[in-house]
Amino acid sequence: MAKTFDVGIESLGSNGASQAAAQQAVGRQPAAGGLLPLPLRGATGGDGAVTPAASAGKSFFLETFGCQMNDHDSEKVAGVLQGRGYRAVESPAQADLVLYNTCSIREKAAQKVFARLGDWKTLADGKIIGVLGCLAQQEGEEIFERAPWVSLVCGSASYRKLPELIARLESGGRRVTGLDLDTDQTFETEITRRDNLLRAYITIIEGCDYACSYCVVPHTRGPERSRASDAVQAEARRLADAGYTEIQLLGQTVNSYRDPSPRGWKFVELLRAVAAVPGIRRVRFTTSHPNDFHREIVDAIDEVPELCDHVHLPVQSGSTRVLREMLRTYTREEYLQKIAWIRAAQRPISITSDIIVGFPGETEADFAETLSLLDAAQYDAIFSFKYSPRPNTSAMHMPDAIPEEEKSRRLAVLNERQRAIQIAANEKLVGQSYEVLVDGCHPARTQWGGRTSCNRLINFTSPHVNLLGEYVQVKVTRAGPNSFAGEHVT
Ligand code: SF4
């Protein structure tokens, strides 16, 4: 990768070419080039049972924008709806209830949602149209002004109220909102629909207590709330019982986790406990804030084989001066110290990052420091973005905006530098073998795709059939900047 969900989560939902490359290489949901995605799995309920979609009269369609946090929130929202007897349908035209789970991290993402809403101007008749997520929180009741056919507006910090809001709509309510930010609870559901056959998400912390000057998340997702460790462990055990072997722990700042129960576990203690759940073979986590990234996390990765060899550690800028303006709370040197810990680990750990170019006042010298940081960090991939001013952020009115063309130029230079780093690094992996969890196939070409522990994407050939969901050894035969080709070692 050159988001989803912090892709990760900090880089929620940009749509640039580098983003596509990023997702391809070390990214989010499997998007192996030309490979078939996985089918839906169903739903995991509180008792661990796999529950088929309900078939009562009403139906819903839910489209998700943005990061992995949104993907997983949508799985939970779908679970709430299925628990109420709704069934999922493939197209909004077939649905009684149409929901958009939105992202507002960049202006483009917000525009896309309003375009979708516009489609319903003359067609909404009889349907309930709802807006969830960050844009709902950001725009609030103004959405009703811009799109009067919308009936439900609910920000992610209020999702625990969703069942009640939907019940009000079902009993004839015309417009309902959930826009509180003062909740101290997390969004727990009886049933969660699981959209990925192999990788299950568990949100361990919601909201954010940082205040990065470019970021809407503290406004849209509210203050930080961690889930009790026993609830997280219980969910991990249910997922293992349902057949999952890979878990991804999610949070905007996942490593800021603080167990609210009397145990008072830190993130690393929870990480080790989830990795110890019988049946779980891989544990990932995203996104880490550099300020809360301590050496003990690297020690845990070294000691616990189930913890994946990958850390996503967004830096955003290589210039300490810009980092200060961004309110990132660390310097270039402090960040590079953390990279040094990871690089000194006993097993190779891939490192990915998020970078913003064109922050207000970013000089050529600042940008040169970002380029030199790429050389120093030797990332396996980056998610790169042009700065985009957002409402309700302190950077919104900062002076010295960088012209759009200059931002584009810097983005291209940045991606070119990173591409060269990836080409050189990936070439060295040719001939090596990796364990791959197979998550896609191209039946016509007997080609398979999967991810290594370090989240590299390898497309490979195999004489075997029915490999989906299997862990296999694959030897790398060719390397590109964003992905690899290989052959099954049988
Ligand atoms: S405020 Fe900063 S730390 Fe919090 S989600 Fe936004 S970018 Fe991440």
Side-chain angles (χ1 to χ4, degrees):
M1 88 191 160
K3 197 258 331 314
T4 167
F5 114 131
D6 290 10
V7 137
I9 306 291
E10 291 197 348
S11 50
L12 322 174
S14 167
N15 294 317
S18 63
Q19 180 82 343
Q23 291 169 349
Q24 182 90 353
V26 196
R28 307 177 38 207
Q29 297 283 45
L35 299 182
L36 295 179
L38 291 163
L40 295 188
R41 184 183 193 90
T44 48
D47 58 359
V50 174
T51 312
S55 57
K58 291 175 191 156
S59 59
F60 74 98
F61 173 84
L62 172 55
E63 182 175 358
T64 308
F65 299 81
C67 62
Q68 285 158 316
M69 287 287 283
N70 270 10
D71 288 341
H72 186 42
D73 282 346
S74 286
E75 291 181 330
K76 292 198 267 186
V77 169
V80 167
L81 292 169
Q82 290 184 359
R84 299 187 70 81
Y86 282 82
R87 81 196 142 80
V89 290
E90 292 295 312
S91 101
Q94 301 168 312
D96 301 302
L97 171 59
V98 177
L99 296 175
Y100 297 105
N101 187 6
T102 62
C103 168
S104 67
I105 198 96
R106 296 179 208 282
E107 201 175 345
K108 252 191 200 164
Q111 285 166 352
K112 215 171 177 178
V113 174
F114 278 113
R116 286 284 199 288
L117 293 178
D119 293 343
W120 294 108
K121 186 171 182 180
T122 55
L123 300 172
D125 195 26
K127 291 185 195 295
I128 294 173
I129 310 290
V131 181
L132 309 177
C134 292
L135 190 68
Q137 192 70 47
Q138 176 97 325
E139 301 290 325
E141 296 192 0
E142 286 205 4
I143 291 176
F144 295 137
E145 304 292 315
R146 289 181 68 171
W149 48 93
V150 170
S151 312
L152 166 67
V153 173
C154 182
S156 51
S158 300
Y159 281 163
R160 66 196 168 83
K161 291 187 183 159
L162 258 183
E164 171 203 324
L165 297 176
I166 290 167
R168 277 165 50 195
L169 285 173
E170 286 169 343
S171 58
R174 205 170 80 79
R175 281 180 175 168
V176 294
T177 55
L179 296 168
D180 296 346
L181 278 180
D182 56 354
T183 176
D184 58 357
Q185 294 174 33
T186 52
F187 179 36
E188 310 276 346
T189 55
E190 289 290 311
I191 300 172
T192 299
R193 187 179 78 181
R194 296 285 169 182
D195 290 349
N196 187 310
L197 185 65
L198 303 173
R199 179 183 292 181
Y201 297 122
I202 302 180
T203 300
I204 64 166
I205 177 170
E206 293 176 6
C208 180
D209 280 351
Y210 285 96
C212 302
S213 59
Y214 54 83
C215 180
V216 290
V217 167
H219 175 74
T220 56
R221 284 189 169 263
E224 196 177 283
R225 289 99 64 203
S226 293
R227 280 178 77 189
S229 56
D230 54 359
V232 174
Q233 281 180 290
E235 188 169 351
R237 283 194 292 269
R238 284 199 299 273
L239 289 164
D241 290 346
Y244 283 96
T245 59
E246 180 170 320
I247 282 177
Q248 182 156 352
L249 304 179
L250 295 180
Q252 263 83 20
T253 55
V254 73
N255 56 332
S256 311
Y257 175 85
R258 271 285 167 184
D259 185 358
S261 75
R263 271 173 173 170
W265 277 358
K266 294 184 291 184
F267 172 66
V268 74
E269 292 166 299
L270 182 71
L271 199 55
R272 286 176 181 268
V274 171
V277 169
I280 296 304
R281 291 180 62 165
R282 287 183 172 182
V283 179
R284 303 183 185 280
F285 53 94
T286 197
T287 286
S288 297
H289 193 290
N291 206 40
D292 297 319
F293 192 89
H294 305 299
R295 199 175 201 146
E296 58 193 1
I297 298 175
V298 181
D299 294 341
I301 294 174
D302 259 343
E303 290 162 21
V304 180
E306 288 80 9
L307 296 180
C308 287
D309 309 336
H310 175 212
V311 173
H312 184 67
L313 199 63
V315 66
Q316 308 300 5
S317 171
S319 154
T320 295
R321 195 193 69 75
V322 172
L323 289 172
R324 204 168 42 236
E325 295 294 309
M326 289 176 163
L327 303 180
R328 286 295 288 176
T329 72
Y330 52 84
T331 64
R332 171 190 173 100
E333 289 69 31
E334 286 163 347
Y335 178 87
L336 284 174
Q337 176 60 62
K338 304 193 182 210
I339 296 291
W341 294 340
I342 302 170
R343 291 291 178 218
Q346 287 158 33
R347 52 175 160 140
I349 298 173
S350 70
I351 309 174
T352 55
S353 191
D354 298 341
I355 294 180
I356 296 171
V357 298
F359 188 77
E362 182 190 68
T363 62
E364 270 301 331
D366 292 321
F367 179 58
E369 288 202 69
T370 296
L371 293 177
S372 73
L373 185 122
L374 290 188
D375 296 335
Q378 291 287 304
Y379 293 118
D380 292 82
I382 60 168
F383 289 91
S384 52
F385 305 94
K386 290 189 281 186
Y387 169 73
S388 152
R390 304 302 297 133
N392 299 309
T393 61
S394 57
M396 173 83 182
H397 300 294
M398 278 186 179
D400 303 324
I402 307 296
E404 214 42 48
E405 317 77 70
E406 178 57 15
K407 286 189 213 168
S408 299
R409 187 193 69 79
R410 290 182 191 179
L411 187 69
V413 171
L414 182 90
N415 287 334
E416 197 46 46
R417 177 79 68 102
Q418 178 60 25
R419 185 180 155 84
I421 289 170
Q422 288 176 212
I423 288 172
N426 291 354
E427 266 304 311
K428 293 182 190 150
L429 304 182
V430 173
Q432 298 203 24
S433 292
Y434 292 92
E435 184 185 68
V436 164
L437 172 56
V438 184
D439 61 19
C441 69
H442 193 306
R445 283 187 263 151
T446 57
Q447 194 179 66
W448 303 87
R451 302 258 161 194
T452 64
S453 167
C454 43
N455 218 16
R456 294 194 177 98
L457 170 65
I458 307 185
N459 296 321
F460 64 98
T461 52
S462 171
H464 294 275
V465 292
N466 299 333
L467 288 181
L468 272 183
E470 299 290 320
Y471 287 85
V472 300
Q473 282 293 321
V474 174
K475 185 174 174 186
V476 174
T477 53
R478 266 185 304 120
N482 296 308
S483 65
F484 299 83
E487 55 194 34
H488 188 175
V489 181
T490 54

